[in-house]
């Protein structure tokens, strides 16, 4: 959690709020790949990339 606090502090101090959507999308795509790895839907997800 300290990493998230430091990241938020950096974005707040440097006015880099445009990084937030990029970070969220990267986390969501990573979670999608990890969660779908062992399922039957995996071949269809990998064709998207």
């Amino acid at each position: 959690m300290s990493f998230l606090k430091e990241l938020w502090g950096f974005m707040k101090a440097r006015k880099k709020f445009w990084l937030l959507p990029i970070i969220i999308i990267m986390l969501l795509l990573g979670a999608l790949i990890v969660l779908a790895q062992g399922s039957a839907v995996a071949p269809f997800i990998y064709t998207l990339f």
Side-chain angles (χ1 to χ4, degrees), residues 11-25:
M11 290 192 311
K12 196 166 134 180
R14 304 270 196 263
K15 306 282 192 243
K16 303 270 185 195
F17 294 112
W18 55 270
L19 287 173
L20 194 59
I22 296 170
I23 293 170
I24 290 173
I25 289 173

Side-chain angles (χ1 to χ4, degrees), residues 6-8 11 13-16 19 21 28-29 34 38-39 42 44-45 48:
E6 288 184 34
L7 182 63
W8 178 250
M11 290 192 311
R14 304 270 196 263
K15 306 282 192 243
K16 303 270 185 195
L19 287 173
L28 288 175
L29 286 175
V34 168
S39 71
F44 301 110
I45 293 175
L48 295 175

Side-chain angles (χ1 to χ4, degrees), residues 3 7 9-10 19 30 32-33 35 43-45:
F3 174 73
L7 182 63
F10 169 77
L19 287 173
L32 176 68
I33 290 173
L35 292 175
F44 301 110
I45 293 175

